[in-house]
Amino acid sequence: MLITSSTVAFLLGTKAYLGIRIWYKRKFTTSKKTSSQSTAIDKLLIALVVLGQVILPLLAIFSPLLRLADYASYPIAAIPGAAVMIFGVWLFWRSHSDLGKNWSVSLELESEHQLITAGVYRYVRHPMYASFFVMALAQLLLVHNWLAGPAAFLAVSLLYYVRRPSEEAMLTEHFGAAYAQYLATTGGVFPLLRS
Ligand code: SAH
């Protein structure tokens, strides 16, 4: 694939996304976990997300391996794509910052796990997964390859629909009525429409 304004926008967004993830992972690396549901299926889902968000797009951009699946697009697509990417990276940063030390790659509870319902968590229960969907949409607009373009969207959809029920069951068991109340008053990845 040629290096275009679209691929440059995608690479800059992905660099910012990975930089934020590495920074927060280092910052909260000492937190103690009391319970973990890091199952083989959850690890597989995480691996699929890495494949879809990072590995396949990098292969499509920098190697000839996926060239057969490239398609031509208009340079103008870089503008909406970059705007969506900026929003996705912002939402990812906000959710990491609001969740703080309660964040973990897989499903885990800290020794002093707090239920976060403020910041972006006031509007949706899964802003970080929402940011994955937004960045996946940006990838679709910026990576013009039939395989690598939609790969993140498919992987993130799988992660969301498989993981969300276990995550919400774990938090309901731990926080009881407080999480049940939170569940009833917020949307998953879209804010609830209320009058
Ligand atoms: N699903 C959330 C968080 C993803 S990180 C989002 O998309 O923003 C996964 C970890 O976050 C889980 O192990 C869970 O313990 C924790 N978590 C999820 N929602 C939380 C909340 N509202 N308050 C505190 N911890 C939460």
Side-chain angles (χ1 to χ4, degrees):
M1 184 181 283
L2 294 174
I3 300 289
T4 60
S5 42
S6 291
T7 49
V8 169
F10 173 78
L11 291 170
L12 289 176
T14 302
K15 189 169 180 245
Y17 153 62
L18 293 176
I20 294 166
R21 165 73 17 120
I22 290 165
W23 195 80
Y24 278 98
K25 202 168 168 24
R26 285 202 185 132
K27 190 169 174 199
F28 295 117
T29 203
T30 52
S31 301
K32 287 203 185 71
K33 314 283 177 211
T34 50
S35 111
S36 170
Q37 290 188 21
S38 178
T39 59
I41 289 186
D42 203 57
K43 285 189 180 121
L44 177 69
L45 290 170
I46 294 166
L48 285 176
V49 170
V50 175
L51 181 73
Q53 282 181 331
V54 184
I55 299 172
L56 286 177
L58 291 186
L59 280 179
I61 296 169
F62 293 113
S63 86
L65 277 177
L66 305 180
R67 195 163 285 164
L68 267 181
D70 281 354
Y71 62 87
S73 183
Y74 298 102
I76 196 91
I79 296 170
V84 174
M85 185 55 118
I86 289 168
F87 176 59
V89 171
W90 174 83
L91 187 58
F92 179 70
W93 165 66
R94 281 302 325 156
S95 28
H96 247 307
S97 149
D98 290 337
L99 204 53
K101 69 178 184 62
N102 304 290
W103 170 78
S104 51
V105 175
S106 55
L107 299 186
E108 290 172 352
L109 289 167
E110 300 290 324
S111 47
E112 286 170 7
H113 205 100
Q114 281 178 307
L115 177 62
I116 305 296
T117 58
V120 283
Y121 285 83
R122 189 174 150 206
Y123 303 100
V124 283
R125 294 189 302 280
H126 302 288
M128 199 172 287
Y129 301 153
S131 77
F132 284 178
F133 277 116
V134 176
M135 289 188 283
L137 179 63
Q139 182 170 325
L140 204 57
L141 292 165
L142 296 170
V143 179
H144 305 140
N145 180 282
W146 293 114
L147 205 71
F153 213 91
L154 296 176
V156 167
S157 303
L158 205 62
L159 174 87
Y160 183 66
Y161 288 105
V162 174
R163 190 194 255 199
R164 178 182 144 172
S166 342
E167 181 168 336
E168 294 184 343
M170 178 185 86
L171 292 166
T172 305
E173 196 188 322
H174 190 74
F175 292 109
Y179 195 79
Q181 160 82 4
Y182 180 54
L183 200 77
T185 52
T186 48
V189 284
F190 292 107
L192 288 181
L193 294 176
R194 262 190 287 264
S195 55

